[in-house]
Amino acid sequence: MKLELKFHPAAEQPLKACLITAFIAFMGGVMFYVLNNALVVGVLLALMIGNLLPFYFPTYYTLDETALRMKRLGKERVYPWDKYRSFMVQKNGVTLWTVADLSAASQSQDRREKMAVLRNSVFLLMTPQMIGQAEVILRQKLAVTKTGE
């Protein structure tokens, strides 16, 4: 059992990619006009573009027997199945959780425990078709997250 998926929003939505790129270029011009400092504008543009890396560059997911592997910009992250207890399907992706019952974790009085649950979760951006393919394997490896609803 092995599933390989590629998520690349800019390639799937070229018009949106062009509009976002044009907006960033426009904002760079406005910032340079207002600030008149190329260094500051460069840093601000780098921050804006840095936050859009998942949109502009493809993300590769591999779900196999031992782990989920996510690769972007040549950097691979490995998430072993035994670290996670459940998953939750959302509108634009899937979240892996280290707990099976979110309602119990959210009712905990220990703030550090709540933050650890959030910090150790992993959100995977996916198209609805990819979610359907991944859900088959996720159901074999993890439980569906209980939310108390």
Side-chain angles (χ1 to χ4, degrees):
M1 168 190 73
K2 184 175 183 179
L3 176 64
E4 294 182 356
L5 302 168
K6 177 184 174 185
F7 181 68
H8 191 187
E12 294 171 9
Q13 303 167 342
L15 178 61
K16 188 182 283 187
C18 289
L19 291 173
I20 290 171
T21 303
F23 178 76
I24 290 173
F26 173 75
M27 289 305 298
V30 169
M31 287 187 293
F32 185 75
Y33 178 78
V34 171
L35 299 174
N36 202 19
N37 185 333
L39 179 64
V40 172
V41 171
V43 168
L44 292 173
L45 285 175
L47 288 172
M48 288 172 63
I49 293 169
N51 285 319
L52 292 171
L53 288 179
F55 178 78
Y56 282 110
F57 294 97
T59 302
Y60 299 93
Y61 300 110
T62 304
L63 293 82
D64 61 27
E65 289 294 329
T66 59
L68 163 77
R69 300 173 198 298
M70 182 173 75
K71 187 175 182 181
R72 182 185 303 137
L73 293 174
K75 182 179 179 184
E76 183 176 65
R77 293 185 179 156
V78 179
Y79 302 102
W81 295 124
D82 58 1
K83 181 179 177 185
Y84 298 94
R85 301 287 171 256
S86 64
F87 73 98
M88 179 187 299
V89 173
Q90 298 176 336
K91 179 182 174 185
N92 57 348
V94 175
T95 305
L96 305 182
W97 298 98
T98 56
V99 296
D101 189 350
L102 279 182
S103 59
S106 66
Q107 292 171 2
S108 169
Q109 297 299 316
D110 187 2
R111 181 171 169 76
R112 288 177 293 192
E113 184 180 329
K114 289 180 188 179
M115 294 308 293
V117 168
L118 293 174
R119 184 179 54 249
N120 294 326
S121 66
V122 177
F123 182 72
L124 312 169
L125 281 168
M126 295 181 173
T127 63
Q129 180 185 10
M130 291 170 60
I131 292 170
Q133 293 173 329
E135 192 173 6
V136 173
I137 293 177
L138 291 172
R139 285 187 182 276
Q140 294 173 7
K141 296 294 181 182
L142 306 171
V144 177
T145 304
K146 296 178 185 173
T147 60
E149 295 178 355

